[in-house]
Amino acid sequence: MENFNMSKHTSFYAIGLSYKKADAVVRGKFSLDAAAKATILIQAEAEGVESLIVTSTCNRTEIYGFASHPYQLIKLLCENSQGTVEEFQEVAYIYKNQDAVSHMFRVGTGLDSQILGDFEIISQLKIAFNESKANGMVNSFMERLINSVIQASKKIKTDTEISSGATSVSFASVQYIIKNVKDIANKNILLFGAGKIGRNTCENLVKHTKHEQITLINRTKDKAEKLAQKLDLIVKDYADLQLELQKADIVVVATGAQNPTIDKAILNLKKPLLILDLSIPKNVHENVTEVDGVTLIHLDHLSQITDETLENRKLHIPQAEAIIEEIKEEFTEWTKNRKFAPTIQALKEKLNAIKEAELNKQRKKNAKFDEAQAELISSQIIQKITNHFVNHLKDGDSMDEGIEWIEKVFQLEQEKSFF
C-alpha cells in the first residue's frame, strides 16, 4: 500500500491511549471536555496543522491528523489535558500513514472497543469530524477516510452479528447487579447523573428487572425530568443526594464531572451499599471502600464480564475484518488515484499543447487539412498514452519515483502548479 503523505513534509498519524494500556485514572487525566477539544482545533490551525480530528470517550482519547512529526499532536493533547508527555509515553500508541488508517477502521467498527462490537464510538467519530469540519480542519483525505469508516461500520452492523445481543457497559452493569443482588425488585436504586451511559443503564434496569423504585438525581434537574417522564422514574433535587444515598441499596454513578462527586464524607450509611461508577474520570473516590458495607465497582471491572454474548460475537470477527479490508482497499485506490491525478492532468495539458501546436502548423501548410479527423486521432492517441502512464503508476512499486520521473521528462512542474 502506498504512502499516504499529503505532501513531502507531512504524514497522517493516529496518536492516543485506550483502556488496553491506560487504566481509568490515567484515561481520566487525558480526557478532553468540549472546551479542550475546541482549543486543540484552534491551536492546531494556528500551528499550521492541515487537518485534524479529536475524540475523547470513557475508553479512549485520540487525535488523528497530519503532522511532520507525531510530537506536534502529542503536544496538543498534553497541553490541553491533565496528562504529561511522560505518562503518555508509558501507555500511548502512535500509528503512521497506512497503520493509522487501519487503526481508525478498527476503532470505528467496534473491533477495538472495550466490549467487542460496541458501536458507540462511530457516533463519537462523526461528532468529532463535524466539529473539525465546522472549524475548517478537514481536508478531502480525512473526509473520504471518515466516510469509508462509517460505510464499513454500517455494513458490519448490517451484514454480521458482531453487535448482536445486548452487550455494552450499561448492559454489563445491569448484568452485574442482577447476578450479585438478591431480591432486586425490593431494593432502592439511585441513578446519579443523566449522561448517555447512565440513561442506557437506567433503560436496561427498567427493562430487565421490572423495577419500579428507581430514583434519579442530576445536577441539571430539567434534564433529569425529561428522562424521568420517558422511564417513569422519581426525580429528586441535587441537594437531596446525601439523604438519597442513605436510602439506596444500589447507586449507579454516571456523571460527566471532572472530579469525584461522591466520597466517604457524604456517606452516612445504615445498610450495605453497592456503588457502580460508570464515569471517566472516576466520580467516586476510592475512600468510600473504607466505609463498612460499601462495594465499589468501576466500569473497568465490568468490561471483564465475558458472557456467552461476547463469545458469540468473536465468531464474527473474520467476517468484519473482510468487510474492512474491502472498503479500505477502495479507499487506498482513491488515495493512489488522487496522488497522481495532478501529474496526469498536467501531462494531458502538456500533450494537448503539443497537439495544438502541430495542428496549427498543418493548418497553415495544408489547405485541404482535415481538422476534425486530425483532432479525433490525436485526442485518442493522447488518451492511450496517458492511460499507459496511469497503469504504470498504479502497478509500479514506487509511485513517488514514477511521478517524479514523468514530471522531469515532460517538464511538468510549472504546469502542475496550476491544478
Side-chain angles (χ1 to χ4, degrees):
M1 191 154 139
E2 281 294 324
N3 192 308
F4 285 108
N5 288 3
M6 294 301 294
S7 75
K8 287 172 185 170
H9 308 295
T10 63
S11 298
F12 179 60
Y13 289 101
I15 66 110
L17 54 127
S18 75
Y19 67 93
K20 287 184 176 177
K21 277 181 81 177
D23 64 21
V25 174
V26 175
R27 297 201 306 274
K29 285 184 182 180
F30 285 96
S31 70
L32 302 165
D33 58 17
K37 285 189 268 192
T39 306
I40 286 175
L41 292 176
I42 293 162
Q43 205 178 318
E45 188 175 18
E47 290 174 13
V49 174
E50 179 189 356
S51 181
L52 175 139
I53 69 168
V54 192
T55 62
S56 187
T57 72
C58 59
N59 286 329
R60 68 182 67 246
T61 295
E62 294 184 328
I63 296 179
Y64 296 89
F66 289 90
S68 50
H69 191 279
Y71 184 70
Q72 283 177 279
L73 307 181
I74 296 164
K75 181 171 159 284
L76 285 168
L77 173 59
C78 294
E79 285 179 0
N80 291 284
S81 69
Q82 304 302 311
T84 65
V85 174
E86 290 73 26
E87 286 170 317
F88 180 85
Q89 284 170 334
E90 280 177 28
V91 297
Y93 41 80
I94 298 167
Y95 298 109
K96 183 179 179 181
N97 294 330
Q98 176 191 350
D99 293 334
V101 167
S102 296
H103 179 67
M104 190 192 279
F105 268 98
R106 289 191 72 82
V107 169
T109 54
L111 291 190
D112 200 67
S113 294
Q114 192 166 21
I115 292 177
L116 177 67
D118 186 351
F119 279 91
E120 284 293 313
I121 189 67
I122 194 66
S123 59
Q124 298 280 355
L125 275 172
K126 283 181 194 173
I127 291 163
F129 168 74
N130 289 331
E131 283 169 359
S132 290
K133 193 165 184 181
N135 283 276
M137 288 299 287
V138 167
N139 60 14
S140 55
F141 177 98
M142 190 77 87
E143 184 147 13
R144 181 79 177 216
L145 174 57
I146 286 282
N147 285 330
S148 298
V149 172
I150 291 168
Q151 185 191 348
S153 174
K154 281 179 184 169
K155 194 166 170 58
I156 287 169
K157 209 169 185 179
T158 309
D159 295 4
T160 79
E161 290 177 38
I162 206 158
S163 59
S164 62
T167 302
S168 63
V169 169
S170 56
F171 185 71
S173 61
V174 173
Q175 274 193 315
Y176 182 89
I177 292 168
I178 291 167
K179 284 176 186 172
N180 291 279
V181 179
K182 289 175 185 171
D183 193 24
I184 193 166
N186 294 313
K187 300 292 183 190
N188 291 328
I189 300 175
L190 170 63
L191 174 65
F192 178 37
K196 191 158 192 178
I197 290 178
R199 292 200 305 272
N200 290 347
T201 302
C202 210
E203 284 176 20
N204 277 320
L205 277 169
V206 171
K207 184 175 166 186
H208 295 285
T209 66
K210 306 287 185 282
H211 202 286
E212 292 172 5
Q213 290 172 281
I214 299 176
T215 302
L216 172 62
I217 293 178
N218 194 55
R219 283 176 187 274
T220 318
K221 198 172 180 184
D222 62 340
K223 198 174 176 184
E225 280 168 347
K226 277 180 193 168
L227 182 60
Q229 283 169 4
K230 186 182 171 189
L231 294 174
D232 196 21
L233 310 173
I234 303 154
V235 176
K236 296 283 183 174
D237 289 325
Y238 180 58
D240 296 329
L241 179 61
Q242 196 164 356
L243 182 64
E244 290 303 320
L245 284 167
Q246 281 181 38
K247 293 182 191 173
D249 298 292
I250 302 159
V251 180
V252 177
V253 183
T255 74
Q258 289 299 302
N259 298 302
T261 48
I262 292 179
D263 61 18
K264 71 173 185 179
I266 66 166
L267 295 183
N268 182 20
L269 303 184
K270 302 192 171 46
K271 57 181 174 176
L273 179 64
L274 168 63
I275 305 175
L276 277 76
D277 186 0
L278 309 183
S279 312
I280 291 285
K282 288 182 177 181
N283 270 208
V284 180
H285 199 290
E286 291 289 336
N287 67 17
V288 299
T289 56
E290 295 167 20
V291 178
D292 284 345
V294 169
T295 306
L296 174 62
I297 299 294
H298 190 260
L299 63 80
D300 280 3
H301 306 135
L302 294 170
S303 65
Q304 291 158 14
I305 297 171
T306 53
D307 60 4
E308 286 175 30
T309 306
L310 278 176
E311 290 307 310
N312 289 339
R313 286 182 176 197
K314 286 177 185 174
L315 303 173
H316 303 283
I317 291 174
Q319 196 185 349
E321 285 175 337
I323 289 169
I324 288 172
E325 281 310 308
E326 179 193 330
I327 293 170
K328 196 165 70 175
E329 212 170 286
E330 288 169 14
F331 173 74
T332 307
E333 191 65 21
W334 175 83
T335 60
K336 281 184 179 181
N337 293 346
R338 186 175 176 280
K339 193 170 186 183
F340 62 66
T343 300
I344 295 299
Q345 182 62 27
L347 175 62
K348 269 189 180 175
E349 290 295 316
K350 184 82 172 189
L351 294 175
N352 277 318
I354 293 167
K355 176 191 81 173
E356 283 305 320
E358 286 304 312
L359 291 182
N360 276 335
K361 276 186 196 174
Q362 294 304 321
R363 283 188 197 102
K364 288 171 186 172
K365 280 184 187 177
N366 187 353
K368 293 179 180 178
F369 177 57
D370 189 340
E371 202 165 320
Q373 187 70 8
E375 175 71 40
L376 179 68
I377 293 166
S378 54
S379 292
Q380 284 177 342
I381 290 169
I382 287 172
Q383 190 58 52
K384 284 181 177 175
I385 290 168
T386 52
N387 283 348
H388 274 285
F389 280 114
V390 167
N391 291 333
H392 171 75
L393 290 173
K394 274 186 180 179
D395 302 334
D397 291 332
S398 176
M399 186 183 286
D400 288 335
E401 279 178 27
I403 288 171
E404 205 175 317
W405 182 84
I406 293 167
E407 287 173 0
K408 200 171 179 181
V409 169
F410 290 95
Q411 298 172 315
L412 298 180
E413 273 308 310
Q414 194 178 350
E415 285 89 341
K416 193 180 168 187
S417 66
F418 292 107
F419 299 100

